[in-house]
Amino acid sequence: MHGMGGLAHFLRSNRMASFGIVLLGLILIAVLVGPIFYEVSPTRLNILKRLAPPGPDFWLGTDSLGRDVLARLLHGGRVTLVVGCSVVALAFAVGVTIGMISGFAGGWLDWFIMRLADAMLSFPSLVLAIALAAAFGPSLENAMLAVAITLMPQFARVARGQAVSVSVKPYVEAAVTLGLPRGRILLRYVFANGVGPLLVQATLALGAAILQTASLGFLGLGAQPPAAEWGADVSINLDFVRSAPWVALAPGAGILLTVMAFNLIGDGLAEWMDPRRRAVI
Amino acid sequence: MVFVAGRIAAAIPVLALVLIIVFLLVRAIPGDPAVVLLGPGATREQIAALRDQLRLDLPAPQQFLEYVAALARGDFGLSLKNGEPVLREILLRLPATIELTLMAMFVAVLVGVPLGVICATRANGPLDHLLRLVSLVGVSIPAFLLALLLQLIFASYLGWLPVSGRTSALVTEAPITGFAVLDAMLRGDGAAARSALAHLVLPCAVLAAFLAATLGRYVRNSMLEILGEDFVRTARAKGMTRPRVIYVHALRNALLPAVTILGLKSAEMLGGAILTETIFAWPGIGRYMFEAIRNRDFPVIQGTTLVFALIYVMTSLAVDFIHGALDPRVRRKML
Amino acid sequence: MSITRRQLAPAVALPFIAAKAFAQGTNPARTLVVAVPSDAVGLEPGTNRAEPIGSEIILNVFDTLVAWTPPEFSALEGRLAKSWTISSDGRSFEFELRDGVMFHDGTALDAAAVKFSLERTRAMNPFAQASFNLINEIAVVSPRVVRIVLKEPYPAFMSILAQPQSAIVSPAAVARLGDQFAANPVGTGPFIFRSRQADTNIVLEANAQYFRGAPKLDRLVYRIIPNASTRRLELENGGVDIIQQAGQLAAIPAETIQALRNNRNISIIEVPSQIIRQLEFNNNKTTGPIADIRVRRAIMHAIDYDGLLQGVFGNTADRVYGPLTSNSWAFNPKIRDLAPKYDPALARRLLAEAGIRPGSLTLPLYTFQGALWGAVATFVQANLADVGINVTIQQTEFPALRALHTSGNFDVALDGRQPWYNDPDAHITIGYLSSLADTAMTFRFPKDDALDAQILKAQQTVSMEERKALYFKLQEDILARAPGAFLFSPKLIVFARANIRGLVINSAPPLNEYWGVSKQ
């Protein structure tokens, strides 16, 4: 495995990934530290100053209900990062567990789980997410759950692939013959050796999760008012985009930059794990 | 033959599960279709009578069996909204979606493949970085934001392109094939054909952006992988010219995974069509499905979701076959 | 699969014939393009459920016996009926039909067609059943005279007859087309149905033989554009001539109005409506905080009605004081004073009396989806927070909210009532009759024999003056029960290109006729 030196080398050699990390760092600082200095409520109405242009009172202007756009951007960013991380964490935990069980158990259980994953992957993910979110009822938590479910089969597949390829390795077979408990073998060998591809998958899934949840929010199936959430904020301010473009474009840009940061890092990681891609003739 | 049969056999249980998932999902969505259908002022008795008529109170397994039996007859049920056969309504809207997605795929290949080749041949150079950044924007931008920006810039401020719709409002002829551009050409109406094409540009660009960017990234990566392999190095060492190595060996081999990606991502693109069709007033099945969810039009939700899944399953089958035909190793591996 | 085959077959033969058809009749100066947010549910009067887009098209393709007279829309005039008489007991209506009116298929309008159409709607339409079931019999007195007898007096019946459900269809076309009639509607109206493409457009053509004279347009095209900002861009670019009914849709039109006011190519028509939007209580509840009238009154006093109208709507909505809008003929002017005023201090006092400490009460507030409802809910939430009530907003899709409503599983909800015919009965009976409590769109009033009797009496009284007095009293009695906070009545707003002439907006229900509209 690569050590700390490897990481430093990775950052030096991969400018795209470093750019992603810097971008993500800036976003993190903005949304975590920003609200401490910019102490404006994202939900306080100021109906007389609706759709004010950016200026000294409201740095990024106000929205259609007179709420501060910058405050909503910063707080919405927190929501977006929490959404991305928890959706992927849930999808990862459930998907990987199921995938490893499937790969290690084999037989009809493996067959059934993989067919189920195939079936779920047969829906365009937004279609499945819309249907699930509608079924659960509109709320941010339900939208997150819906998106997590659509991501699970991908993790399950990668994890199963790792489990299958690792479980035929001599040292795992040896461990089984030695009578070590299956659970421990799974965790120790399969997970430890297969973690690389899963990590890449997870980073890329972060971007996808944020995009999907924002799309659900845009369609009214996500966060409920007055919560600040970037996708929903684009949607509710669409009507005003001609007279006050900043109101819808600011949260839109937020989504774009955050997803881009995760994709940059994911790409870099993938490249790092697979040195062939760095080759030039 | 064995390969083809095997792939089809493998698809059957998946399709069965798809049916079950669709059926369960639709049942899980809250809202009583009978209440929706009857509107305000309906009494409990009327609602109960209608539920009975719609067979909504039967046990779920029985409803499922009836549903599958009806599907086998080509009966997708009747739309709760207007009483029309769902299959008919879907077929009316399918050409619009197919026209849009095929066009987007075409554009994506046209843009994505050269993009990948340029990046791979100049890997880690400034042009590579710039184009990779552009394609990253392509995969990272929410479809609704891109649609909004394009609409604002090209339709509103510049006025170069129509804002929405499939044809000019003055074109009101009944469809012949359902494909607007083709219909106009069949009618020999050049102006209408140009108008239909102009209407395609923006929604097509939104859908193609994601696909082109994805394709470009894959082509770049797989070309780099191949260029790093021994046989290429050997070829180069033996004195083969660089362009020959790149275009004859690397690109040909790199296109193989690109076909897979193109197939799978274009089915995935149908999901993006929901947003695109809604924003651009494109009368396809994506928008139809989303409106059906809003109206709790259960047979339509069931029908459209199923069609989406079917397209996906068929596309991946087709991709497998193409793959198998191009590369005999795959045939063995997949069995 | 037969459909696809039918569609594909002409592909080979048609191109040359169709090219000719396209060359004629696409004169932009005589084609009016109307943008609507969704496809018409149906063009069939028999099954119409007062859905706005289909209803309007029906009224342009068909005629009714009577219609509301523009521009006031407060009196009825004969349309297919030349004249009519109503018996003194208010149960028998006799109509004499106009001579020489022809359906689009060339058959003549007669009394039998009227009887056929109304009986057809009664049999087919669960939505209008409650009203149409009042019909005891329809008699063809002579080819020109038809008599309708009701089971009990129902003065609002005349306005029902002006509704799209009562439009007169061609019996010959129904016999010929069967269940295809809905896809090929045939009436007597100023426009003839020409074609329809799902989710794309509906095309009507002028009826040169229309009995009131040919329309000034050659063609009327309804374009379906779901996205509000897209509709606006299209209007500005001249892709559409009219955006309809912007006020009652999901978007707040104030900003668009402001922007479009400066655009000399666009004119804006604003008309007060009879639509009511309210925060309603689940009045059927016997437990919980909402069952306490002090809590209900506190909430009614907590809302800054004028702030809502100005701040959120930029005065694109009017104030509503009670169960009827101020422009209704039955509106009781005293209600203006009786209606609860914005008074947070009083609200806090009332809550304290009811034993509710500030911050201890949390209510889920259910409402529909869309930016408009979200904005109203957010505003109400801030108002209620001021008096110490926490509100969590739940924006639910229409059918899910309806299901919640009929099940009675809520405390407060934001909701709307749009009368589907022009009579106070449309608001009062469906809204407050206790026997209808469990149906959709009511205030879920608990059993109350005295109030029910009053409502039914007002519904059936023939004398206009007596009826008015009954509705005056009803408005006071209903308001005294604190059924909900009446929030606002959206104006009907139509944006049109400045060269459009002759457009007159009907206030209730909001349906436009394009017979007299022209383009300069």
Side-chain angles (χ1 to χ4, degrees):
Chain A
M1 291 298 295
H2 309 262
M4 283 305 287
L7 184 67
H9 174 72
F10 161 62
L11 287 178
R12 245 179 294 121
S13 68
N14 196 320
R15 266 183 279 168
M16 300 282 279
S18 339
F19 178 53
I21 289 173
V22 171
L23 190 58
L24 183 64
L26 288 177
I27 293 169
L28 274 171
I29 292 171
V31 304
L32 295 179
V33 183
I36 300 174
F37 294 101
Y38 194 77
E39 288 178 81
V40 179
S41 158
T43 53
R44 209 194 62 208
L45 309 188
N46 195 341
I47 223 85
L48 295 177
K49 292 197 176 149
R50 51 207 299 268
L51 295 175
D57 289 347
F58 308 98
W59 293 9
L60 277 180
T62 60
D63 72 2
S64 54
L65 289 170
R67 296 175 295 199
D68 190 278
V69 172
L70 179 57
R72 287 188 75 73
L73 192 64
L74 296 176
H75 287 263
R78 288 185 174 184
V79 173
T80 297
L81 288 174
V82 169
V83 163
C85 295
S86 33
V87 164
V88 172
L90 181 64
F92 188 93
V94 178
V96 169
T97 311
I98 292 178
M100 287 208 303
I101 291 172
S102 176
F104 212 70
W108 67 269
L109 184 66
D110 182 29
W111 182 86
F112 179 77
I113 291 176
M114 282 305 113
R115 292 297 81 74
L116 189 64
D118 284 346
M120 285 173 70
L121 287 171
S122 300
F123 300 94
S125 49
L126 188 63
V127 171
L128 191 60
I130 288 176
L132 282 168
F136 298 150
S139 81
L140 185 60
E141 291 75 21
N142 289 345
M144 287 161 61
L145 187 58
V147 175
I149 291 176
T150 64
L151 290 175
M152 282 172 196
Q154 298 179 12
F155 284 109
R157 272 207 166 164
V158 177
R160 176 190 174 269
Q162 294 298 322
V164 169
S165 69
V166 174
S167 62
V168 294
K169 294 248 163 83
Y171 52 86
V172 174
E173 276 175 12
V176 175
T177 4
L178 281 175
L180 284 176
R182 283 182 151 238
R184 242 177 86 190
I185 303 170
L186 269 175
L187 276 179
R188 189 92 161 264
Y189 294 102
V190 181
F191 195 70
N193 285 292
V195 75
L198 282 170
L199 207 67
V200 175
Q201 177 84 2
T203 321
L204 293 173
L206 271 167
I210 291 171
L211 268 187
Q212 292 293 52
T213 318
S215 296
L216 290 180
F218 179 81
L219 294 170
L221 289 165
Q224 295 293 298
E229 191 271 322
W230 287 347
D233 273 9
V234 174
S235 161
I236 58 176
N237 292 308
L238 263 189
D239 292 344
F240 315 109
V241 78
R242 295 298 307 284
S243 41
W246 59 88
V247 189
L249 294 185
I255 302 170
L256 170 61
L257 291 177
T258 314
V259 175
M260 229 175 107
F262 283 121
N263 281 340
L264 280 166
I265 299 170
D267 274 2
L269 279 177
E271 203 165 292
W272 187 42
M273 308 245 166
D274 186 0
R276 271 185 310 171
R277 290 192 195 171
R278 277 178 271 163
V280 196
I281 61 165
Chain B
M1 261 333 275
V2 183
F3 169 67
V4 172
R7 295 307 295 156
I8 291 177
I12 289 171
V14 173
L15 276 178
L17 282 166
V18 162
L19 279 180
I20 295 176
I21 292 175
V22 168
F23 179 82
L24 290 178
L25 257 183
V26 170
R27 291 295 169 298
I29 297 176
D32 185 342
V35 173
V36 181
L37 207 54
L38 287 170
T43 61
R44 287 219 157 151
E45 293 73 42
Q46 283 174 323
I47 292 169
L50 190 63
R51 282 189 67 84
D52 192 47
Q53 193 194 323
L54 297 171
R55 306 179 76 76
L56 289 168
D57 292 322
L58 294 179
Q62 195 182 340
Q63 281 191 50
F64 180 69
L65 289 180
E66 288 191 1
Y67 168 61
V68 174
L71 280 182
R73 293 192 303 269
D75 175 7
F76 278 47
L78 302 179
S79 160
L80 295 182
K81 189 179 164 200
N82 59 11
E84 298 288 333
V86 171
L87 184 59
R88 208 198 105 169
E89 297 276 298
I90 290 177
L91 289 176
L92 279 176
R93 289 163 174 85
L94 204 53
T97 302
I98 291 177
E99 184 176 48
L100 180 60
T101 40
L102 278 184
M103 203 66 170
M105 273 170 74
F106 179 67
V107 172
V109 173
L110 226 56
V111 175
V113 174
L115 186 83
V117 173
I118 294 171
C119 285
T121 51
R122 287 165 180 73
N124 293 322
L127 189 62
D128 176 33
H129 279 133
L130 179 73
L131 291 180
R132 280 171 74 195
L133 211 59
V134 171
S135 60
L136 250 170
V137 173
V139 290
S140 305
I141 195 165
F144 55 85
L145 184 67
L146 183 60
L148 184 69
L149 283 172
L150 292 181
Q151 240 181 11
L152 268 176
I153 297 169
F154 293 102
S156 180
Y157 293 135
L158 298 175
W160 291 351
L161 291 165
V163 181
S164 71
R166 255 185 112 188
T167 53
S168 147
L170 297 175
V171 178
T172 51
E173 273 60 39
I176 302 170
T177 59
F179 297 94
V181 181
L182 191 62
D183 281 2
M185 293 198 302
L186 283 175
R187 287 196 185 95
D189 187 338
R194 273 194 300 277
S195 158
L197 269 175
H199 279 84
L200 255 171
V201 174
L202 291 184
C204 179
V206 172
L207 275 186
F210 179 79
L211 194 59
T214 314
L215 205 59
R217 284 150 55 90
Y218 267 89
V219 170
R220 174 189 184 270
N221 290 346
S222 45
M223 272 189 75
L224 283 181
E225 278 173 24
I226 291 157
L227 290 174
E229 271 178 23
D230 290 341
F231 78 94
V232 175
R233 288 173 191 274
T234 318
R236 189 92 171 92
K238 278 185 177 167
M240 203 182 264
T241 58
R242 192 168 176 268
R244 198 173 150 75
V245 170
I246 290 172
Y247 295 105
V248 175
H249 288 285
L251 182 59
R252 214 175 61 190
N253 286 298
L255 281 181
L256 210 64
V259 170
T260 316
I261 291 306
L262 186 66
L264 299 181
K265 289 288 170 182
S266 59
E268 181 71 18
M269 199 165 70
L270 288 171
I274 296 181
L275 290 164
T276 315
E277 289 180 357
T278 303
I279 295 175
F280 288 102
W282 198 263
I285 51 170
R287 181 175 138 209
Y288 187 49
M289 176 206 172
F290 186 60
E291 273 177 26
I293 288 185
R294 292 222 146 147
N295 297 321
R296 298 295 186 267
D297 197 335
F298 293 125
V300 175
I301 306 174
Q302 235 159 16
T304 45
T305 327
L306 193 62
V307 167
F308 275 126
L310 278 178
I311 293 177
Y312 194 92
V313 171
M314 289 193 306
T315 317
S316 20
L317 267 180
V319 166
D320 284 353
F321 293 154
I322 295 172
H323 223 152
L326 291 176
D327 186 352
R329 282 173 305 171
V330 176
R331 251 174 285 172
R332 280 197 306 276
K333 211 162 86 189
M334 280 191 174
L335 284 173
Chain C
M1 290 315 280
S2 62
I3 296 100
T4 37
R5 222 179 299 133
R6 222 184 299 156
Q7 270 186 345
L8 292 175
V12 200
L14 252 179
F16 306 101
I17 314 162
K20 236 179 202 164
F22 180 65
Q24 59 176 12
T26 43
N27 178 3
R30 290 178 64 87
T31 299
L32 187 79
V33 184
V34 180
V36 289
S38 59
D39 204 349
V41 172
L43 306 178
E44 159 69 273
T47 53
N48 177 279
R49 285 185 281 149
E51 159 267 327
I53 294 149
S55 299
E56 176 172 301
I57 296 171
I58 287 172
L59 285 188
N60 283 288
V61 172
F62 296 90
D63 280 298
T64 45
L65 286 173
V66 291
W68 294 99
T69 317
E72 301 291 319
F73 297 98
S74 55
L76 288 161
E77 63 180 14
R79 189 57 61 86
L80 291 179
K82 194 156 60 180
S83 64
W84 64 92
T85 54
I86 303 172
S87 66
S88 56
D89 67 354
R91 287 179 48 219
S92 176
F93 301 73
E94 199 170 283
F95 297 90
E96 193 192 343
L97 303 180
R98 233 173 253 279
D99 281 318
V101 177
M102 301 296 249
F103 287 106
H104 302 153
D105 61 359
T107 56
L109 169 91
D110 59 9
V114 174
K115 178 181 162 76
F116 174 82
S117 302
L118 297 180
E119 286 179 347
R120 187 166 172 269
T121 295
R122 179 171 62 177
M124 286 171 71
N125 198 330
F127 175 83
Q129 220 162 41
S131 302
F132 277 78
N133 275 347
L134 288 170
I135 298 173
N136 191 30
E137 69 151 332
I138 303 175
V140 175
V141 180
S142 77
R144 299 256 64 82
V145 177
V146 63
R147 184 169 57 227
I148 305 169
V149 182
L150 302 184
K151 291 172 187 156
E152 50 205 41
Y154 184 43
F157 187 67
M158 284 298 283
S159 46
I160 300 275
L161 288 180
Q163 287 310 301
Q165 297 82 6
S166 308
I168 307 305
V169 302
S170 159
V174 172
R176 185 165 49 86
L177 294 162
D179 57 5
Q180 287 302 300
F181 182 80
N184 305 279
V186 179
T188 57
F191 291 94
I192 299 172
F193 172 80
R194 179 171 173 203
S195 69
R196 174 175 189 184
Q197 268 178 273
D199 284 344
T200 310
N201 61 27
I202 295 168
V203 182
L204 309 181
E205 245 164 32
N207 173 8
Q209 268 76 52
Y210 187 51
F211 69 89
R212 290 197 286 166
K216 294 171 181 148
L217 299 163
D218 287 344
R219 187 179 284 198
L220 182 55
V221 179
Y222 282 86
R223 260 189 81 185
I224 294 126
I225 306 177
N227 185 286
S229 54
T230 309
R231 284 195 294 276
R232 179 177 152 198
L233 292 181
E234 286 280 13
L235 181 75
E236 287 169 320
N237 287 4
V240 306
D241 295 309
I242 289 175
I243 303 184
Q244 270 208 58
Q245 298 160 9
Q248 47 165 357
L249 299 171
I252 301 168
E255 251 55 48
T256 316
I257 288 187
Q258 221 152 49
L260 294 181
R261 271 231 169 89
N262 303 322
N263 189 334
R264 276 192 294 147
N265 294 324
I266 288 161
S267 64
I268 302 167
I269 308 172
E270 288 180 77
V271 179
S273 75
Q274 293 189 27
I275 300 164
I276 294 180
R277 306 285 190 230
Q278 73 270 355
L279 176 149
E280 67 198 11
F281 302 122
N282 183 354
N283 290 290
N284 224 348
K285 269 210 158 173
T286 50
T287 55
I290 289 304
D292 188 331
I293 193 167
R294 290 170 298 194
V295 177
R296 299 207 299 272
R297 287 186 51 215
I299 292 175
M300 290 164 83
H301 282 293
I303 292 164
D304 179 5
Y305 300 94
D306 292 328
L308 178 70
L309 293 184
Q310 271 171 26
V312 176
F313 288 96
N315 291 321
T316 56
D318 295 309
R319 177 79 203 269
V320 181
Y321 300 93
L324 291 177
T325 50
S326 326
N327 59 350
S328 164
W329 59 262
F331 175 69
N332 179 351
K334 264 162 69 188
I335 296 292
R336 263 186 240 272
D337 303 318
L338 294 173
K341 312 235 162 1
Y342 173 49
D343 188 347
L346 175 60
R348 277 188 284 263
R349 221 158 43 238
L350 284 163
L351 285 174
E353 275 174 39
I356 288 172
R357 281 177 294 107
S360 67
L361 177 59
T362 298
L363 292 171
L365 176 65
Y366 293 96
T367 187
F368 300 107
Q369 294 209 305
L372 182 144
W373 289 105
V376 175
T378 308
F379 188 87
V380 167
Q381 182 188 45
N383 279 171
L384 293 182
D386 278 349
V387 302
I389 299 174
N390 305 318
V391 160
T392 53
I393 298 168
Q394 306 265 339
Q395 277 194 290
T396 319
E397 284 149 307
F398 182 83
L401 188 60
R402 281 284 161 267
L404 193 79
H405 240 143
T406 45
S407 69
N409 221 343
F410 70 101
D411 285 309
V412 284
L414 294 181
D415 197 359
R417 294 195 42 73
Q418 177 171 341
W420 64 277
Y421 51 93
N422 188 0
D423 192 277
D425 176 52
H427 269 305
I428 301 290
T429 309
I430 299 177
Y432 307 96
L433 194 69
S434 72
S435 59
L436 293 176
D438 283 336
T439 69
M441 288 182 82
T442 77
F443 279 81
R444 300 186 56 80
F445 260 38
K447 193 162 168 50
D448 183 336
D449 291 334
L451 191 71
D452 284 357
Q454 269 191 79
I455 292 173
L456 292 176
K457 194 170 173 211
Q459 185 187 48
Q460 294 169 4
T461 299
V462 177
S463 151
M464 189 85 162
E465 278 313 301
E466 259 179 75
R467 258 194 109 196
K468 202 167 166 178
L470 287 165
Y471 279 122
F472 271 34
K473 172 103 187 352
L474 265 171
Q475 287 167 70
E476 292 173 22
D477 291 354
I478 289 171
L479 195 60
R481 284 167 167 79
F486 298 96
L487 298 175
F488 63 95
S489 170
K491 282 182 187 156
L492 301 174
I493 294 163
V494 174
F495 301 115
R497 298 288 296 180
N499 60 347
I500 305 298
R501 297 280 177 277
L503 187 62
V504 191
I505 312 298
N506 187 347
S507 75
L511 305 168
N512 303 334
E513 293 188 48
Y514 289 101
W515 171 60
V517 175
S518 63
K519 241 173 141 175
Q520 284 203 321

